[in-house]
Amino acid sequence: MINVGVLGYGTVGSGVVDIIRDNNGIISGRIGDEIRTKYVLDLRDFPGDPVEEILVHDFEIIKNDPEVHIVVETMGGLHPAYEFVKACLEAGKSVCTSNKALVADFGPELIQTAKDHNASFLFEASVGGGIPIIRPLQSSLNPDEIEEISGILNGTTNYILTEMTQKGSDFDSVLKEAQALGYAEADPTADVEGHDACRKIAILTSLAYGKNLDFHDIYTEGITKITDRDIAYANALQAKVKIFGSSKKIGDQVSAMVAPVMIDAANPLYSVDGVFNAILVKGNMVGDVMFYGQGAGKLATASAVVSDVMEAAIHMDKPAGVQWTDEKFSLVPFADSKSRFFVRVSGTAADNAAKVKEAFGAVKEVDAGFADEYAFVTEEITEGAYEKAAETLGNVLNKIRVAFA
């Protein structure tokens, strides 16, 4: 019998309890032992819920019970999640979490603490919800050098951009719809400003190379400046606007960014719409591999957590190793990163064509039927060169990076 303590009985925590109960026969058969939820920790009471029988309000009960072998953390946030997780690891209990903020901030430390106390720290559900990506990076793709990772890592922003593309709606209107449908939080900042995707690409990149990419160091740009006119220009280019978290290995450094990107139908991520997520990984031997599915949701995320519980149970005597040290990865200076840019400027073509050519060199003009502005796509240039040219023009309305020929 392997006993589990669950910290937090919210959406994901209750999903974990449901899966362990409803799929117990399948789970037990696959790991060769029975898994049981012994405790659930929450500050609230749940009258009439079967969880009442195992509900506790004191963390110390779980930490100090030697019969609890694995702890699931689904509280969210950094504190007290960090303190509880570290205490469990120091007590020799393996921990499985869906908490991306915890993993992004304290991943290397908690991995090392787990190793020091013969335990596992696992976090498959912290990126991509129910999409298997972390374990494949650590096992299936082990023979490869990972050259590039790019992904649609946030379902809220992908839903908003999809609705803007398909209906021609403006950002504010679609955001309100997303909130009404439960796809966006009352405070959507972490999603729409790209912070959620930033943490996720930092985690994936760190795992791909075994060093620490601090998410605070990654250039991050959200979707709040994307307008219905930007979408119209994308349509004119037979492209879509997506927000990517991406990283690319360049020598001994990594170039990383979170930002909106225009992609065309040749990109495998072009057809990933709605609340779905997808992650494209390029290995030097395997080539392109794409992971696709629901990036959030009660049972999808809980399923990934329970897969970690099973992994920890299988490795009770020899903890599952995660390669991620606190040695910092060197980032390519952002100003040296290269992209092509779609740019909109105020004024007519007659007003701007010569000035644009002088500032940017050869460009491809884009016409979406707006007489009061001029739009174009640049050749590949550095971020620093773009900023200098844009400053010279002085009338840029918006810019979006372009990822097609």
Side-chain angles (χ1 to χ4, degrees), residues 305-360:
V305 175
V306 176
S307 78
D308 276 348
V309 171
M310 296 169 69
E311 184 79 2
I314 292 169
H315 291 92
M316 292 289 287
D317 297 324
K318 185 180 179 183
V322 177
Q323 301 305 313
W324 179 0
T325 71
D326 60 3
E327 179 184 353
K328 288 197 71 170
F329 221 116
S330 175
L331 272 174
V332 173
F334 180 68
D336 295 339
S337 299
K338 293 183 177 181
S339 291
R340 298 178 70 211
F341 294 86
F342 161 78
V343 186
R344 293 167 47 219
V345 297
S346 59
T348 65
D351 294 334
N352 285 288
K355 296 176 185 177
V356 165
K357 184 175 182 181
E358 183 178 352
F360 284 97

Side-chain angles (χ1 to χ4, degrees), residues 55-66:
L55 186 67
V56 296
H57 300 303
D58 183 0
F59 166 69
E60 296 295 319
I61 294 173
I62 295 175
K63 186 189 81 170
N64 295 326
D65 188 340

